Amino acid sequence: MITLAQLAEAARGDLVPYWPVPLPRVELTGVHVSELEDPTVFLDGGELLLTVGMQLAGRDGPERAEAARAYVARLVAGRVAALGLGLGSGHSMVPDELREACAEAGLPLLTVPRESPFLAVSRAYWELVRRGGEAELTALLGLQVALTRAASGDDAEPSIVRELAHALGTWVAYLPGGERRASCAGPAGEVPAPGLLDELRREAAALRAAGRGATATVQISAGPAALYPVESGAGRAYLAVGRGGQLAPPERHLFLTASTLLAHRAAALRRAEEERARGDGMLVALVLAGHDDAARLLAGQMGTALPESVYLAVLATPGLPDGAAGALAVESGSLLHLLLPADAPRPRLPSGAHGAWGGPVPLRRVREIAGQVADAARQAPVGKVVRVGHGLELPADEWTAALAAAGGELLPTVRAYLKNRGHWEASARDLGVHRNSVRHRMARAGELLGVDFDDPDVAAHLWLALRT
């Protein structure tokens, strides 16, 4: 942006400050010449207005003072940045009335000497515009190169956000959909307050829920912020900027570059995830069909490690749920088959899942239990995942140890329940408590072990372990 002081310096005597001196920092949008009493209808605001003062010609005393005040008031109301009076044609010197009106209204006043044409001032302005445009273009290209380089690294999203925050001089945040990690940076590369990202996540979630695909300006604790959509669809990502209002044209170019790079990055990640999911599905399909050797060969080509021992979980709802970390999955009909590493007492499944699970078993024996687990998943109560006995040795000793470690009344309650073959009243009498207490304890024990105590295999193995 060109300032009034820059133009006076560039005009080299063709534009001389008169009041105040030195000139205040006033930004110009253009130079306009007019002798109209009200030229503001042809102006947008921010201009240096050049005139020879015909509006005051032929007037003296109080009449000229009133005309000067009215003229200057119209210019100020029209957001004129400064007034330049050409000396010689109408006035040989600046009228006192005009100087006083400008001083009273705070409108900078300059003069154009008799020998200087208005065209010289206009030329000086447009030369500054040309130079500024070249410098701006050079800086813009440099920043776009920096953004492009940032997009080529492994940590592309945080790098792009840092470069954009530095270029815009404010904090910037990238809020992707799904489980992808958000990024946020301040203008000097610093990490803003932790609460900022939480607020922005809530605003982005509300926009997604409302199906809003347009730019939104919101008010958060850090001040106004603008959220711009980067991707489309239910998992829409947003790029947030720590300011309201419109971005300047160069900033819009940078913002568009960053948005495009982030959108391409997100698309590439989605394609990679889809390819990985297809590969994982092929591995699971081979294991379910009993071709574990072929599955290992394929896993080696894919760079995927297949565990020696796994759990098999079958969920009655398609689509890989959040929280099934480390699972290899394939959909078959209306069922989702998951292979999970047997590195914990029970498989890690998301809460609220619906289906069944079995194992742990060696990879080569998954086929033996697949049909039974799938049948149990179809018959499982809604919102519950049942444990399936499958003729293999169940970890009853581990279950007993887990119940004992939990303390309280879980272990004797499970023993009484199994002894009385699942009858609540008889179990309650043995324990001397109300049957609702028995129900509550058994529910806790089931959640702890991840088993269904009404499964005959589970009940038999656990009862034997409790009696020894």
Side-chain angles (χ1 to χ4, degrees):
M1 185 65 71
I2 298 168
T3 66
L4 187 59
Q6 286 176 318
L7 178 57
E9 175 67 23
R12 295 197 179 107
D14 292 322
L15 185 65
V16 181
Y18 187 78
W19 180 91
V21 178
L23 291 171
R25 179 177 174 79
V26 176
E27 295 182 346
L28 299 178
T29 61
V31 175
H32 186 75
V33 179
S34 177
E35 299 303 329
L36 295 175
E37 293 215 6
D38 185 7
T40 58
V41 293
F42 300 102
L43 303 177
D44 291 326
E47 295 90 353
L48 166 66
L49 179 66
L50 300 179
T51 179
V52 296
M54 296 295 292
Q55 307 84 354
L56 306 181
R59 300 179 182 181
D60 293 308
E63 183 183 0
R64 182 154 69 172
E66 181 59 31
R69 283 194 296 271
Y71 177 66
V72 170
R74 286 192 293 271
L75 299 186
V76 172
R79 297 183 297 112
V80 168
L83 178 63
L85 179 65
L87 301 178
S89 297
H91 302 274
S92 59
M93 57 186 300
V94 176
D96 291 338
E97 296 85 354
L98 182 61
R99 181 190 61 77
E100 291 172 1
C102 287
E104 183 180 335
L107 181 68
L109 178 63
L110 303 93
T111 62
V112 178
R114 178 189 302 271
E115 64 277 6
S116 298
F118 285 169
L119 184 59
V121 179
S122 295
R123 283 175 175 166
Y125 174 80
W126 289 111
E127 176 63 18
L128 287 175
V129 169
R130 185 188 66 80
R131 293 177 188 172
E134 291 177 353
E136 187 177 86
L137 179 59
T138 301
L140 180 61
L141 289 174
L143 292 170
Q144 287 179 327
V145 169
L147 285 171
T148 305
R149 286 177 178 168
S152 63
D154 293 334
D155 60 340
E157 290 90 347
S159 298
I160 292 172
V161 166
R162 284 194 298 270
E163 291 292 344
L164 186 60
H166 174 70
L168 298 183
T170 185
W171 62 257
V172 173
Y174 177 54
L175 309 162
E179 294 185 338
R180 287 154 53 199
R181 184 169 57 92
S183 304
C184 190
E190 74 277 12
V191 177
L196 175 64
L197 263 181
D198 293 336
E199 286 188 85
L200 292 172
R201 285 192 188 99
R202 288 193 293 270
E203 296 291 347
L207 292 174
R208 292 188 192 102
R212 293 276 303 279
T215 300
T217 299
V218 297
Q219 189 70 31
I220 59 176
S221 59
L227 276 71
Y228 300 82
V230 175
E231 301 175 72
S232 59
R236 178 178 291 116
Y238 286 91
L239 195 54
V241 180
R243 69 168 74 155
Q246 294 290 326
L247 296 174
E251 294 176 330
R252 286 199 295 271
H253 284 296
L254 289 174
F255 195 88
L256 180 60
T257 300
S259 299
T260 302
L261 291 171
L262 288 170
H264 281 301
R265 173 76 172 180
L269 291 175
R270 281 199 306 272
R271 288 194 296 269
E273 290 171 1
E274 291 167 359
E275 289 297 324
R276 185 166 54 251
R278 278 194 287 269
D280 291 349
M282 293 172 64
L283 294 176
V284 178
L286 286 171
V287 171
L288 291 174
H291 304 304
D292 56 290
D293 288 340
R296 292 188 188 282
L297 286 173
L298 178 59
Q301 295 293 321
M302 295 170 52
T304 300
L306 279 177
E308 293 294 329
S309 183
V310 297
Y311 292 109
L312 172 65
V314 180
L315 303 184
T317 51
L320 185 63
D322 295 339
L328 302 175
V330 67
E331 288 190 30
S332 178
S334 61
L335 299 177
L336 179 69
H337 293 71
L338 304 175
L339 293 181
L340 299 108
D343 55 1
R346 56 172 297 175
R348 292 179 291 274
L349 292 172
S351 60
H354 173 214
W357 64 274
V361 295
L363 199 65
R364 67 179 184 279
R365 301 190 64 181
V366 169
R367 184 183 182 187
E368 299 176 18
I369 67 171
Q372 187 179 3
V373 177
D375 289 341
R378 294 187 185 95
Q379 301 171 24
V382 175
K384 187 173 183 181
V385 179
V386 298
R387 173 72 164 84
V388 175
H390 44 75
L392 301 176
E393 190 64 31
L394 299 180
D397 291 337
E398 295 179 10
W399 294 342
T400 304
L403 290 170
E409 301 296 331
L410 291 188
L411 185 60
T413 301
V414 171
R415 181 184 287 113
Y417 183 80
L418 297 177
K419 173 189 171 185
N420 291 287
R421 299 181 182 180
H423 293 292
W424 302 108
E425 294 288 353
S427 302
R429 282 196 301 270
D430 284 358
L431 295 168
V433 297
H434 193 276
R435 64 178 181 274
N436 287 343
S437 297
V438 178
R439 292 180 188 273
H440 176 68
R441 294 175 186 177
M442 291 303 296
R444 286 171 52 205
E447 291 177 1
L448 174 65
L449 303 182
V451 300
D452 181 2
F453 293 107
D454 295 325
D455 183 328
D457 287 326
V458 171
H461 282 77
L462 187 54
W463 176 244
L464 290 174
L466 289 171
R467 292 189 61 185
T468 57

